[in-house]
Amino acid sequence: MTAAATPASSPATAGERPGVRMARSRRNAELSLLLLAMALVAAYGAMVEAKVLDTVTTGFWVPAATLTAVFLGMHLVIRFLAPFADPALLPAVALLNGLGVGFLRRLDLAKAAPEERADLAIFAGTGGRQLAWTLISVVLAAGLLALMRDHRSISRYAYTLGLAGIVLVMLPAVLPASISEINGAKLWVRIGSFSIQPGEFAKLALLVFFAYYLVRKREVLSLASHRFLGIDFPRGRDLGPVLVVWVISLLVLVFEKDLGTSLLYFGMFVATVYIATERVSWLLIGLVLFFGGAYLAYVLGEAVGGPFANFYLRAQIWLDPFAQPYDDGYQLVQGLLALGSGGLFGAGPGGGQPLLLPEVQNDFIFAGIGEEIGLFGLSALLVIYLLIVERGLRAALAVRDSFGKLLAGGLAFTLALQVFVIVGGISKLIPLTGQTTPFLSAGGSSLMANWLLIAVLLRVSDAGRRPVDGAGGKVTRPSGPPEQLHGAPTEVIKP
């Protein structure tokens, strides 16, 4: 290593010169937070066993220890491959993932016969499969960090990824319902016992394409044709890309019968356009287009039926779930009752009745957990999601290139929108959707896709937090009292 010269009046000391502060990676802080998160996961597992089994077995710590080993491996990968990445991302995601595995194992304990519960194997049931999927997902995220040393490199494949994303979005819609439809929504591809949700991976591919496209077209989309009520609106001929994505989202709504996926794709594009142009008019146009399209689908569902019938039925359930509380509205009613019975503090881990909830391991896991940890516990979970989103937006602000800013901002907003869609559906704020709760719900597709999303955010945050000069060397900034910094040199350390 060679260093730029400093004045003779500042003699060098071992490892650091006076008045110069080396950039800090904060990996030790990440390690401490990660161990704290795993301690909470272990405590959750112990409380579940104490409630369900009336005792705490000697192996209650094994699932948490397995998760700790997996996440410590990811921590080491970050330490060597992305040393300046945000230190809060991995611990926050690990905590959510660990609690999801713990709750799924709690469901397995409730389903097992009382005499078999204490001997339930670690990789048995839904919780065991989720633990295995966690290992696979973390390995994929680590592999992506190893392959993608610079986030800008994926912009070379933007058009290829965009085409792949469209194919993945449309694939379930064109397949027969026997291999693509579950609970009325065509979001899956099932071959025998194997199933995958291609839309989870499509959102990542499409976001790369959106970010690349908007970097090139940002100036055009920022042009205004006229001003109305103090808001600058774009020119009519510049609305083409938004209209194309709007049509695609409506096709998803109609043919895949899922409002959440449709809202997710269109919302993340409009949000990325807003980040690129900083014009509120794009948000207003997006809201008008989406809600106008959803209302049109509702009217056609009532009048025509056919491909619009499923959305009309979901809207009717949303408007009055208690009209048929034991039929079409049963799932939503049970979710609302679970949230209500949880109260402020909940029944305690293992103390609820989550098996009364249909699809509690997938769509309604938030309601199942909410019955046991209450409003305060759910608020804490939402704060963790908010922390991840905030750190993603911070990475977008810190990174120096426009592509990275749009990519990180879009990824952070997509995660926030996915949480909003699923929590909004469960709480009756919006119609029910087929989305999964990130890192909590059972399923390999969602878990792998979201860990890949986190890997990209880690790479972008590493680039944003790493001080570099024009030649790629690390830059350290002078430290000390302000009166001593005037004219102080900046030290550049290069390989």
Side-chain angles (χ1 to χ4, degrees), residues 183-246:
N183 296 328
K186 298 188 65 175
L187 301 173
W188 299 86
V189 175
R190 294 183 297 171
I191 303 175
S193 59
F194 175 78
S195 62
I196 188 172
Q197 194 171 349
E200 292 288 346
F201 301 95
K203 65 186 180 185
L204 301 179
L206 290 174
L207 268 173
V208 174
F209 171 72
F210 291 162
Y212 178 77
Y213 175 83
L214 292 171
V215 165
R216 303 186 65 183
K217 301 295 183 180
R218 177 171 54 186
E219 293 184 1
V220 174
L221 295 173
S222 298
L223 296 177
S225 61
H226 60 278
R227 191 175 182 87
F228 180 70
L229 296 178
I231 300 175
D232 293 321
F233 285 87
R235 300 178 301 180
R237 60 178 178 270
D238 298 329
L239 292 174
V242 176
L243 293 177
V244 169
V245 179
W246 177 65

Short mmCIF file of all heavy atoms in Angstrom, two decimals, residues 183-246:
data_model
loop_
_atom_site.label_atom_id
_atom_site.label_comp_id
_atom_site.label_asym_id
_atom_site.label_seq_id
_atom_site.Cartn_x
_atom_site.Cartn_y
_atom_site.Cartn_z
N ASN A 183 -55.60 -21.26 -5.18
CA ASN A 183 -56.52 -20.35 -4.48
C ASN A 183 -57.02 -19.21 -5.38
O ASN A 183 -57.14 -18.07 -4.97
CB ASN A 183 -55.87 -19.76 -3.23
CG ASN A 183 -55.54 -20.83 -2.21
OD1 ASN A 183 -56.24 -21.82 -2.10
ND2 ASN A 183 -54.47 -20.61 -1.46
N GLY A 184 -57.25 -19.55 -6.66
CA GLY A 184 -57.83 -18.58 -7.58
C GLY A 184 -56.84 -17.68 -8.28
O GLY A 184 -57.22 -16.97 -9.22
N ALA A 185 -55.57 -17.66 -7.86
CA ALA A 185 -54.56 -16.79 -8.48
C ALA A 185 -53.58 -17.64 -9.29
O ALA A 185 -53.08 -18.66 -8.82
CB ALA A 185 -53.80 -16.01 -7.42
N LYS A 186 -53.31 -17.21 -10.53
CA LYS A 186 -52.39 -17.95 -11.42
C LYS A 186 -51.01 -17.32 -11.31
O LYS A 186 -50.62 -16.47 -12.11
CB LYS A 186 -52.90 -17.91 -12.85
CG LYS A 186 -54.25 -18.58 -13.06
CD LYS A 186 -54.58 -18.67 -14.54
CE LYS A 186 -53.60 -19.58 -15.27
NZ LYS A 186 -53.97 -19.76 -16.69
N LEU A 187 -50.26 -17.75 -10.31
CA LEU A 187 -48.95 -17.17 -10.05
C LEU A 187 -47.84 -18.21 -10.01
O LEU A 187 -46.68 -17.85 -9.83
CB LEU A 187 -48.97 -16.43 -8.69
CG LEU A 187 -49.97 -15.28 -8.54
CD1 LEU A 187 -49.97 -14.79 -7.10
CD2 LEU A 187 -49.63 -14.15 -9.49
N TRP A 188 -48.19 -19.47 -10.21
CA TRP A 188 -47.24 -20.54 -9.95
C TRP A 188 -46.93 -21.34 -11.21
O TRP A 188 -47.68 -21.31 -12.19
CB TRP A 188 -47.79 -21.50 -8.89
CG TRP A 188 -48.03 -20.83 -7.58
CD1 TRP A 188 -49.15 -20.15 -7.21
CD2 TRP A 188 -47.12 -20.73 -6.49
NE1 TRP A 188 -49.00 -19.64 -5.93
CE2 TRP A 188 -47.76 -19.99 -5.47
CE3 TRP A 188 -45.83 -21.20 -6.26
CZ2 TRP A 188 -47.15 -19.71 -4.26
CZ3 TRP A 188 -45.22 -20.94 -5.05
CH2 TRP A 188 -45.88 -20.20 -4.07
N VAL A 189 -45.84 -22.07 -11.17
CA VAL A 189 -45.53 -23.10 -12.15
C VAL A 189 -45.24 -24.36 -11.34
O VAL A 189 -44.24 -24.43 -10.62
CB VAL A 189 -44.32 -22.72 -13.02
CG1 VAL A 189 -43.96 -23.88 -13.95
CG2 VAL A 189 -44.62 -21.47 -13.84
N ARG A 190 -46.11 -25.36 -11.46
CA ARG A 190 -45.99 -26.58 -10.67
C ARG A 190 -45.69 -27.77 -11.58
O ARG A 190 -46.41 -28.00 -12.56
CB ARG A 190 -47.26 -26.85 -9.88
CG ARG A 190 -47.56 -25.83 -8.80
CD ARG A 190 -48.81 -26.22 -8.04
NE ARG A 190 -49.99 -26.20 -8.92
CZ ARG A 190 -51.17 -26.67 -8.57
NH1 ARG A 190 -51.35 -27.20 -7.38
NH2 ARG A 190 -52.19 -26.61 -9.41
N ILE A 191 -44.64 -28.48 -11.25
CA ILE A 191 -44.27 -29.70 -11.98
C ILE A 191 -44.09 -30.79 -10.93
O ILE A 191 -43.07 -30.84 -10.24
CB ILE A 191 -42.98 -29.51 -12.79
CG1 ILE A 191 -43.15 -28.33 -13.77
CG2 ILE A 191 -42.63 -30.78 -13.55
CD1 ILE A 191 -41.88 -27.99 -14.53
N GLY A 192 -45.08 -31.64 -10.81
CA GLY A 192 -45.04 -32.66 -9.78
C GLY A 192 -45.09 -32.02 -8.40
O GLY A 192 -45.95 -31.19 -8.11
N SER A 193 -44.16 -32.40 -7.54
CA SER A 193 -44.10 -31.83 -6.19
C SER A 193 -43.33 -30.52 -6.14
O SER A 193 -43.31 -29.84 -5.12
CB SER A 193 -43.46 -32.83 -5.23
OG SER A 193 -42.14 -33.15 -5.65
N PHE A 194 -42.69 -30.17 -7.27
CA PHE A 194 -41.90 -28.93 -7.32
C PHE A 194 -42.76 -27.78 -7.82
O PHE A 194 -43.52 -27.92 -8.78
CB PHE A 194 -40.70 -29.11 -8.25
CG PHE A 194 -39.90 -27.86 -8.46
CD1 PHE A 194 -39.00 -27.42 -7.50
CD2 PHE A 194 -40.05 -27.10 -9.62
CE1 PHE A 194 -38.26 -26.26 -7.69
CE2 PHE A 194 -39.33 -25.95 -9.81
CZ PHE A 194 -38.43 -25.52 -8.85
N SER A 195 -42.66 -26.63 -7.16
CA SER A 195 -43.40 -25.44 -7.59
C SER A 195 -42.52 -24.21 -7.41
O SER A 195 -41.67 -24.17 -6.52
CB SER A 195 -44.70 -25.29 -6.80
OG SER A 195 -44.44 -25.10 -5.42
N ILE A 196 -42.73 -23.24 -8.26
CA ILE A 196 -41.97 -21.99 -8.21
C ILE A 196 -42.88 -20.85 -8.60
O ILE A 196 -43.81 -21.02 -9.41
CB ILE A 196 -40.73 -22.06 -9.13
CG1 ILE A 196 -39.83 -20.82 -8.91
CG2 ILE A 196 -41.15 -22.17 -10.59
CD1 ILE A 196 -38.52 -20.91 -9.64
N GLN A 197 -42.65 -19.69 -8.02
CA GLN A 197 -43.42 -18.48 -8.33
C GLN A 197 -42.51 -17.54 -9.13
O GLN A 197 -41.75 -16.76 -8.56
CB GLN A 197 -43.90 -17.82 -7.05
CG GLN A 197 -44.97 -16.76 -7.27
CD GLN A 197 -45.57 -16.28 -5.96
OE1 GLN A 197 -45.34 -16.88 -4.91
NE2 GLN A 197 -46.35 -15.22 -6.01
N PRO A 198 -42.56 -17.61 -10.46
CA PRO A 198 -41.61 -16.84 -11.28
C PRO A 198 -41.73 -15.34 -11.11
O PRO A 198 -40.75 -14.62 -11.33
CB PRO A 198 -41.95 -17.27 -12.72
CG PRO A 198 -43.32 -17.83 -12.64
CD PRO A 198 -43.48 -18.41 -11.28
N GLY A 199 -42.89 -14.85 -10.71
CA GLY A 199 -43.06 -13.41 -10.53
C GLY A 199 -42.15 -12.83 -9.47
O GLY A 199 -41.80 -11.64 -9.52
N GLU A 200 -41.75 -13.64 -8.49
CA GLU A 200 -40.84 -13.15 -7.44
C GLU A 200 -39.49 -12.76 -8.02
O GLU A 200 -38.86 -11.79 -7.57
CB GLU A 200 -40.67 -14.22 -6.36
CG GLU A 200 -41.91 -14.49 -5.52
CD GLU A 200 -42.22 -13.36 -4.56
OE1 GLU A 200 -41.34 -12.49 -4.36
OE2 GLU A 200 -43.33 -13.33 -4.02
N PHE A 201 -39.03 -13.51 -9.01
CA PHE A 201 -37.75 -13.20 -9.63
C PHE A 201 -37.91 -12.15 -10.74
O PHE A 201 -36.97 -11.42 -11.05
CB PHE A 201 -37.13 -14.47 -10.21
CG PHE A 201 -36.90 -15.54 -9.18
CD1 PHE A 201 -37.85 -16.53 -8.98
CD2 PHE A 201 -35.77 -15.52 -8.40
CE1 PHE A 201 -37.66 -17.52 -8.01
CE2 PHE A 201 -35.56 -16.50 -7.42
CZ PHE A 201 -36.51 -17.49 -7.23
N ALA A 202 -39.12 -12.08 -11.31
CA ALA A 202 -39.37 -11.10 -12.37
C ALA A 202 -39.21 -9.67 -11.86
O ALA A 202 -38.72 -8.80 -12.60
CB ALA A 202 -40.78 -11.30 -12.94
N LYS A 203 -39.59 -9.42 -10.60
CA LYS A 203 -39.52 -8.06 -10.09
C LYS A 203 -38.07 -7.56 -10.05
O LYS A 203 -37.80 -6.38 -10.31
CB LYS A 203 -40.16 -7.96 -8.72
CG LYS A 203 -39.47 -8.74 -7.62
CD LYS A 203 -40.25 -8.70 -6.32
CE LYS A 203 -39.54 -9.49 -5.23
NZ LYS A 203 -40.34 -9.57 -3.99
N LEU A 204 -37.12 -8.45 -9.75
CA LEU A 204 -35.71 -8.05 -9.73
C LEU A 204 -35.22 -7.75 -11.14
O LEU A 204 -34.54 -6.74 -11.38
CB LEU A 204 -34.87 -9.15 -9.10
CG LEU A 204 -35.23 -9.55 -7.67
CD1 LEU A 204 -34.31 -10.67 -7.19
CD2 LEU A 204 -35.12 -8.36 -6.73
N ALA A 205 -35.56 -8.63 -12.09
CA ALA A 205 -35.12 -8.42 -13.47
C ALA A 205 -35.72 -7.14 -14.04
O ALA A 205 -35.03 -6.36 -14.71
CB ALA A 205 -35.52 -9.63 -14.32
N LEU A 206 -37.00 -6.91 -13.78
CA LEU A 206 -37.65 -5.71 -14.32
C LEU A 206 -37.10 -4.44 -13.69
O LEU A 206 -36.97 -3.41 -14.37
CB LEU A 206 -39.16 -5.79 -14.10
CG LEU A 206 -39.91 -6.83 -14.94
CD1 LEU A 206 -41.36 -6.93 -14.52
CD2 LEU A 206 -39.81 -6.48 -16.43
N LEU A 207 -36.74 -4.49 -12.43
CA LEU A 207 -36.19 -3.30 -11.77
C LEU A 207 -34.84 -2.91 -12.37
O LEU A 207 -34.54 -1.72 -12.52
CB LEU A 207 -36.05 -3.54 -10.27
CG LEU A 207 -37.24 -3.11 -9.43
CD1 LEU A 207 -37.06 -3.54 -7.99
CD2 LEU A 207 -37.44 -1.61 -9.49
N VAL A 208 -34.03 -3.90 -12.72
CA VAL A 208 -32.75 -3.59 -13.38
C VAL A 208 -33.03 -2.89 -14.71
O VAL A 208 -32.38 -1.87 -15.04
CB VAL A 208 -31.93 -4.87 -13.60
CG1 VAL A 208 -30.69 -4.56 -14.43
CG2 VAL A 208 -31.53 -5.48 -12.27
N PHE A 209 -34.00 -3.41 -15.47
CA PHE A 209 -34.33 -2.77 -16.74
C PHE A 209 -34.91 -1.38 -16.54
O PHE A 209 -34.53 -0.43 -17.25
CB PHE A 209 -35.33 -3.64 -17.51
CG PHE A 209 -35.90 -2.96 -18.73
CD1 PHE A 209 -35.11 -2.76 -19.85
CD2 PHE A 209 -37.20 -2.47 -18.73
CE1 PHE A 209 -35.62 -2.12 -20.98
CE2 PHE A 209 -37.71 -1.83 -19.85
CZ PHE A 209 -36.92 -1.66 -20.97
N PHE A 210 -35.81 -1.21 -15.58
CA PHE A 210 -36.39 0.11 -15.32
C PHE A 210 -35.31 1.12 -14.97
O PHE A 210 -35.30 2.25 -15.47
CB PHE A 210 -37.39 0.03 -14.17
CG PHE A 210 -38.65 -0.73 -14.49
CD1 PHE A 210 -39.46 -1.21 -13.47
CD2 PHE A 210 -39.03 -0.98 -15.80
CE1 PHE A 210 -40.62 -1.92 -13.75
CE2 PHE A 210 -40.18 -1.67 -16.09
CZ PHE A 210 -40.98 -2.15 -15.06
N ALA A 211 -34.39 0.72 -14.10
CA ALA A 211 -33.33 1.64 -13.68
C ALA A 211 -32.46 2.05 -14.85
O ALA A 211 -32.12 3.23 -15.03
CB ALA A 211 -32.48 0.99 -12.59
N TYR A 212 -32.09 1.09 -15.69
CA TYR A 212 -31.23 1.39 -16.85
C TYR A 212 -31.97 2.28 -17.85
O TYR A 212 -31.41 3.26 -18.36
CB TYR A 212 -30.82 0.09 -17.53
CG TYR A 212 -29.98 0.27 -18.77
CD1 TYR A 212 -28.63 0.59 -18.67
CD2 TYR A 212 -30.53 0.13 -20.03
CE1 TYR A 212 -27.85 0.77 -19.81
CE2 TYR A 212 -29.78 0.30 -21.17
CZ TYR A 212 -28.44 0.63 -21.06
OH TYR A 212 -27.68 0.80 -22.19
N TYR A 213 -33.24 1.95 -18.12
CA TYR A 213 -34.01 2.72 -19.09
C TYR A 213 -34.22 4.15 -18.62
O TYR A 213 -34.07 5.11 -19.40
CB TYR A 213 -35.36 2.03 -19.32
CG TYR A 213 -36.30 2.81 -20.20
CD1 TYR A 213 -36.20 2.74 -21.59
CD2 TYR A 213 -37.29 3.63 -19.65
CE1 TYR A 213 -37.07 3.46 -22.41
CE2 TYR A 213 -38.16 4.35 -20.45
CZ TYR A 213 -38.04 4.26 -21.83
OH TYR A 213 -38.89 4.99 -22.63
N LEU A 214 -34.53 4.32 -17.36
CA LEU A 214 -34.83 5.66 -16.85
C LEU A 214 -33.58 6.52 -16.72
O LEU A 214 -33.67 7.75 -16.77
CB LEU A 214 -35.55 5.56 -15.51
CG LEU A 214 -36.96 4.97 -15.60
CD1 LEU A 214 -37.53 4.70 -14.23
CD2 LEU A 214 -37.88 5.91 -16.38
N VAL A 215 -32.43 5.90 -16.52
CA VAL A 215 -31.19 6.68 -16.52
C VAL A 215 -30.99 7.33 -17.88
O VAL A 215 -30.57 8.50 -17.99
CB VAL A 215 -29.99 5.78 -16.16
CG1 VAL A 215 -28.68 6.47 -16.50
CG2 VAL A 215 -30.00 5.46 -14.67
N ARG A 216 -31.31 6.60 -18.93
CA ARG A 216 -31.12 7.11 -20.29
C ARG A 216 -32.22 8.08 -20.72
O ARG A 216 -31.99 8.96 -21.53
CB ARG A 216 -31.07 5.94 -21.28
CG ARG A 216 -29.97 4.92 -20.96
CD ARG A 216 -29.85 3.88 -22.03
NE ARG A 216 -29.43 4.46 -23.29
CZ ARG A 216 -29.29 3.77 -24.43
NH1 ARG A 216 -29.58 2.47 -24.44
NH2 ARG A 216 -28.91 4.35 -25.53
N LYS A 217 -33.43 7.91 -20.16
CA LYS A 217 -34.57 8.72 -20.59
C LYS A 217 -35.00 9.76 -19.55
O LYS A 217 -36.05 10.38 -19.70
CB LYS A 217 -35.76 7.81 -20.91
CG LYS A 217 -35.49 6.78 -22.00
CD LYS A 217 -35.24 7.44 -23.35
CE LYS A 217 -35.05 6.40 -24.44
NZ LYS A 217 -34.82 7.02 -25.77
N ARG A 218 -34.19 9.94 -18.51
CA ARG A 218 -34.61 10.80 -17.41
C ARG A 218 -34.89 12.23 -17.86
O ARG A 218 -35.89 12.83 -17.46
CB ARG A 218 -33.55 10.79 -16.31
CG ARG A 218 -33.84 11.70 -15.14
CD ARG A 218 -32.86 11.48 -14.02
NE ARG A 218 -31.48 11.62 -14.49
CZ ARG A 218 -30.42 11.36 -13.73
NH1 ARG A 218 -30.59 10.94 -12.50
NH2 ARG A 218 -29.20 11.52 -14.20
N GLU A 219 -34.02 12.78 -18.68
CA GLU A 219 -34.20 14.17 -19.10
C GLU A 219 -35.46 14.35 -19.92
O GLU A 219 -36.17 15.34 -19.78
CB GLU A 219 -32.97 14.62 -19.89
CG GLU A 219 -31.70 14.71 -19.04
CD GLU A 219 -30.52 15.26 -19.83
OE1 GLU A 219 -30.72 15.60 -21.02
OE2 GLU A 219 -29.42 15.35 -19.27
N VAL A 220 -35.76 13.36 -20.78
CA VAL A 220 -36.97 13.45 -21.60
C VAL A 220 -38.21 13.38 -20.72
O VAL A 220 -39.16 14.16 -20.89
CB VAL A 220 -36.98 12.32 -22.65
CG1 VAL A 220 -38.30 12.32 -23.41
CG2 VAL A 220 -35.82 12.49 -23.62
N LEU A 221 -38.21 12.45 -19.77
CA LEU A 221 -39.38 12.29 -18.91
C LEU A 221 -39.56 13.46 -17.94
O LEU A 221 -40.63 13.64 -17.39
CB LEU A 221 -39.26 10.98 -18.12
CG LEU A 221 -39.29 9.69 -18.95
CD1 LEU A 221 -39.00 8.48 -18.07
CD2 LEU A 221 -40.64 9.53 -19.64
N SER A 222 -38.48 14.22 -17.73
CA SER A 222 -38.57 15.36 -16.81
C SER A 222 -39.14 16.59 -17.48
O SER A 222 -39.50 17.55 -16.79
CB SER A 222 -37.17 15.69 -16.26
OG SER A 222 -36.66 14.61 -15.51
N LEU A 223 -39.23 16.60 -18.81
CA LEU A 223 -39.76 17.77 -19.51
C LEU A 223 -41.25 17.93 -19.22
O LEU A 223 -41.99 16.96 -19.14
CB LEU A 223 -39.54 17.62 -21.02
CG LEU A 223 -38.07 17.60 -21.49
CD1 LEU A 223 -38.01 17.38 -22.98
CD2 LEU A 223 -37.37 18.91 -21.10
N ALA A 224 -41.67 19.16 -19.04
CA ALA A 224 -43.07 19.45 -18.73
C ALA A 224 -43.72 20.15 -19.91
O ALA A 224 -43.09 20.97 -20.59
CB ALA A 224 -43.18 20.31 -17.48
N SER A 225 -44.99 19.82 -20.17
CA SER A 225 -45.71 20.48 -21.25
C SER A 225 -46.58 21.62 -20.74
O SER A 225 -46.73 22.64 -21.40
CB SER A 225 -46.58 19.45 -22.00
OG SER A 225 -47.53 18.89 -21.10
N HIS A 226 -47.17 21.44 -19.56
CA HIS A 226 -47.99 22.50 -18.99
C HIS A 226 -48.06 22.33 -17.48
O HIS A 226 -47.73 21.28 -16.94
CB HIS A 226 -49.40 22.47 -19.59
CG HIS A 226 -50.15 21.19 -19.35
ND1 HIS A 226 -49.98 20.07 -20.14
CD2 HIS A 226 -51.06 20.86 -18.41
CE1 HIS A 226 -50.74 19.11 -19.68
NE2 HIS A 226 -51.42 19.55 -18.63
N ARG A 227 -48.51 23.37 -16.82
CA ARG A 227 -48.59 23.41 -15.37
C ARG A 227 -50.04 23.53 -14.95
O ARG A 227 -50.78 24.36 -15.46
CB ARG A 227 -47.78 24.60 -14.83
CG ARG A 227 -47.57 24.61 -13.33
CD ARG A 227 -46.66 25.76 -12.94
NE ARG A 227 -46.38 25.79 -11.51
CZ ARG A 227 -45.41 25.12 -10.92
NH1 ARG A 227 -44.61 24.36 -11.65
NH2 ARG A 227 -45.22 25.20 -9.61
N PHE A 228 -50.46 22.65 -14.01
CA PHE A 228 -51.84 22.64 -13.56
C PHE A 228 -51.85 22.49 -12.05
O PHE A 228 -51.26 21.55 -11.49
CB PHE A 228 -52.62 21.49 -14.22
CG PHE A 228 -54.06 21.41 -13.81
CD1 PHE A 228 -54.97 22.39 -14.20
CD2 PHE A 228 -54.51 20.37 -13.02
CE1 PHE A 228 -56.30 22.32 -13.81
CE2 PHE A 228 -55.84 20.29 -12.62
CZ PHE A 228 -56.74 21.27 -13.03
N LEU A 229 -52.53 23.44 -11.36
CA LEU A 229 -52.61 23.44 -9.89
C LEU A 229 -51.23 23.38 -9.25
O LEU A 229 -51.00 22.71 -8.23
CB LEU A 229 -53.47 22.26 -9.40
CG LEU A 229 -54.95 22.27 -9.80
CD1 LEU A 229 -55.66 21.03 -9.29
CD2 LEU A 229 -55.63 23.54 -9.28
N GLY A 230 -50.29 24.07 -9.87
CA GLY A 230 -48.95 24.15 -9.31
C GLY A 230 -48.09 22.94 -9.56
O GLY A 230 -46.98 22.83 -9.01
N ILE A 231 -48.56 21.98 -10.39
CA ILE A 231 -47.81 20.75 -10.66
C ILE A 231 -47.48 20.70 -12.14
O ILE A 231 -48.34 20.93 -13.00
CB ILE A 231 -48.63 19.50 -10.26
CG1 ILE A 231 -48.96 19.56 -8.76
CG2 ILE A 231 -47.88 18.22 -10.58
CD1 ILE A 231 -49.87 18.44 -8.31
N ASP A 232 -46.21 20.42 -12.44
CA ASP A 232 -45.76 20.30 -13.83
C ASP A 232 -46.06 18.90 -14.34
O ASP A 232 -45.56 17.90 -13.77
CB ASP A 232 -44.26 20.58 -13.94
CG ASP A 232 -43.93 22.02 -13.63
OD1 ASP A 232 -44.71 22.89 -14.04
OD2 ASP A 232 -42.89 22.27 -12.98
N PHE A 233 -46.85 18.80 -15.40
CA PHE A 233 -47.19 17.50 -15.98
C PHE A 233 -46.35 17.24 -17.22
O PHE A 233 -45.98 18.17 -17.95
CB PHE A 233 -48.68 17.46 -16.33
CG PHE A 233 -49.57 17.29 -15.13
CD1 PHE A 233 -50.00 18.40 -14.41
CD2 PHE A 233 -49.95 16.02 -14.71
CE1 PHE A 233 -50.82 18.24 -13.30
CE2 PHE A 233 -50.75 15.86 -13.60
CZ PHE A 233 -51.19 16.96 -12.89
N PRO A 234 -46.03 15.97 -17.49
CA PRO A 234 -45.18 15.65 -18.64
C PRO A 234 -45.92 15.80 -19.96
O PRO A 234 -47.16 15.92 -20.00
CB PRO A 234 -44.82 14.18 -18.39
CG PRO A 234 -45.96 13.65 -17.59
CD PRO A 234 -46.40 14.78 -16.72
N ARG A 235 -45.15 15.78 -21.02
CA ARG A 235 -45.74 15.85 -22.35
C ARG A 235 -46.48 14.56 -22.66
O ARG A 235 -46.11 13.48 -22.19
CB ARG A 235 -44.65 16.08 -23.39
CG ARG A 235 -43.87 17.36 -23.17
CD ARG A 235 -42.77 17.52 -24.20
NE ARG A 235 -41.82 16.40 -24.16
CZ ARG A 235 -40.77 16.30 -24.97
NH1 ARG A 235 -40.55 17.25 -25.87
NH2 ARG A 235 -39.96 15.27 -24.89
N GLY A 236 -47.53 14.66 -23.46
CA GLY A 236 -48.34 13.48 -23.78
C GLY A 236 -47.55 12.38 -24.45
O GLY A 236 -47.74 11.19 -24.16
N ARG A 237 -46.61 12.73 -25.34
CA ARG A 237 -45.86 11.70 -26.06
C ARG A 237 -44.85 10.98 -25.16
O ARG A 237 -44.30 9.96 -25.55
CB ARG A 237 -45.15 12.31 -27.25
CG ARG A 237 -44.16 13.41 -26.92
CD ARG A 237 -43.48 13.88 -28.21
NE ARG A 237 -42.55 14.98 -28.00
CZ ARG A 237 -42.88 16.25 -28.05
NH1 ARG A 237 -44.15 16.59 -28.27
NH2 ARG A 237 -41.98 17.19 -27.87
N ASP A 238 -44.61 11.51 -23.95
CA ASP A 238 -43.69 10.85 -23.03
C ASP A 238 -44.38 9.86 -22.11
O ASP A 238 -43.73 9.23 -21.28
CB ASP A 238 -42.96 11.90 -22.18
CG ASP A 238 -42.11 12.84 -23.03
OD1 ASP A 238 -41.61 12.38 -24.07
OD2 ASP A 238 -41.96 14.01 -22.64
N LEU A 239 -45.71 9.73 -22.24
CA LEU A 239 -46.45 8.82 -21.39
C LEU A 239 -46.39 7.38 -21.86
O LEU A 239 -46.90 6.48 -21.19
CB LEU A 239 -47.92 9.25 -21.30
CG LEU A 239 -48.20 10.57 -20.56
CD1 LEU A 239 -49.68 10.92 -20.69
CD2 LEU A 239 -47.83 10.44 -19.10
N GLY A 240 -45.79 7.14 -23.02
CA GLY A 240 -45.77 5.81 -23.60
C GLY A 240 -45.29 4.71 -22.67
O GLY A 240 -45.98 3.70 -22.48
N PRO A 241 -44.09 4.84 -22.07
CA PRO A 241 -43.61 3.77 -21.18
C PRO A 241 -44.54 3.47 -20.03
O PRO A 241 -44.76 2.31 -19.66
CB PRO A 241 -42.26 4.32 -20.69
CG PRO A 241 -41.84 5.30 -21.71
CD PRO A 241 -43.10 5.92 -22.22
N VAL A 242 -45.12 4.52 -19.42
CA VAL A 242 -46.03 4.30 -18.30
C VAL A 242 -47.29 3.57 -18.76
O VAL A 242 -47.79 2.67 -18.08
CB VAL A 242 -46.41 5.65 -17.65
CG1 VAL A 242 -47.43 5.45 -16.55
CG2 VAL A 242 -45.17 6.32 -17.09
N LEU A 243 -47.79 3.94 -19.94
CA LEU A 243 -48.99 3.27 -20.46
C LEU A 243 -48.72 1.81 -20.77
O LEU A 243 -49.58 0.94 -20.55
CB LEU A 243 -49.49 4.01 -21.71
CG LEU A 243 -50.01 5.43 -21.48
CD1 LEU A 243 -50.41 6.07 -22.81
CD2 LEU A 243 -51.20 5.42 -20.52
N VAL A 244 -47.53 1.51 -21.28
CA VAL A 244 -47.17 0.11 -21.58
C VAL A 244 -47.15 -0.72 -20.30
O VAL A 244 -47.73 -1.82 -20.23
CB VAL A 244 -45.81 0.04 -22.30
CG1 VAL A 244 -45.32 -1.40 -22.38
CG2 VAL A 244 -45.91 0.63 -23.70
N VAL A 245 -46.48 -0.20 -19.26
CA VAL A 245 -46.43 -0.93 -17.99
C VAL A 245 -47.82 -1.01 -17.37
O VAL A 245 -48.17 -2.02 -16.74
CB VAL A 245 -45.43 -0.26 -17.03
CG1 VAL A 245 -45.39 -0.99 -15.70
CG2 VAL A 245 -44.04 -0.23 -17.65
N TRP A 246 -48.63 0.01 -17.55
CA TRP A 246 -50.01 -0.01 -17.04
C TRP A 246 -50.81 -1.12 -17.70
O TRP A 246 -51.53 -1.87 -17.02
CB TRP A 246 -50.66 1.35 -17.30
CG TRP A 246 -52.10 1.43 -16.90
CD1 TRP A 246 -52.62 1.35 -15.64
CD2 TRP A 246 -53.23 1.62 -17.78
NE1 TRP A 246 -53.98 1.49 -15.67
CE2 TRP A 246 -54.38 1.65 -16.96
CE3 TRP A 246 -53.35 1.77 -19.15
CZ2 TRP A 246 -55.65 1.82 -17.50
CZ3 TRP A 246 -54.62 1.95 -19.68
CH2 TRP A 246 -55.76 1.98 -18.87
#
